[in-house]
Amino acid sequence: MASSASPLLHRVAETERQAVPFVLDGQPASALAGDTVLTAILTQKAQLRRNEFSHEPRAGFCMMGACQDCWVQTDSGERLRACSTFIQPGMALRTQEGTA
């Protein structure tokens, strides 16, 4: 089982795409052009978020925007589906309540 500090996903292909800087839980991070927010987060962390009821780690489920399991929040409070939203330069994302 991966520790909470090690990424869940490891990129093995398409590593030459342009880097896209973003902020994750207040820390600088980098994804690649064309990555979804889900991919961008899970190449940095072991989980996408914690379940609001059980507090168990979650990492998305259906991967196509149907299950409602991958909602994340921006620093401005906007909620978005991580599996169907593409990462944009400068995005500031939160995976935990109260992080900025």
Side-chain angles (χ1 to χ4, degrees), residues 50-57:
R50 290 204 170 264
N51 181 280
E52 55 274 13
F53 304 107
S54 69
H55 304 289
E56 292 294 315

Side-chain angles (χ1 to χ4, degrees), residues 13-81:
E14 299 185 28
T15 58
E16 300 302 316
R17 289 184 278 138
Q18 181 178 4
V20 177
F22 70 104
V23 176
L24 182 58
D25 294 332
Q27 300 297 315
S30 183
L32 296 181
D35 283 354
T36 62
V37 169
L38 182 69
T39 300
I41 292 173
L42 293 181
T43 56
Q44 306 291 316
K45 300 183 76 154
Q47 66 191 35
L48 182 65
R49 64 179 188 87
R50 290 204 170 264
N51 181 280
E52 55 274 13
F53 304 107
S54 69
H55 304 289
E56 292 294 315
R58 303 299 299 171
F61 183 71
C62 74
M63 306 303 175
M64 63 181 193
C67 74
Q68 308 288 317
D69 195 48
C70 69
W71 289 102
V72 294
Q73 195 168 28
T74 65
D75 276 358
S76 65
E78 176 187 9
R79 289 183 42 170
L80 49 87
R81 282 189 179 157

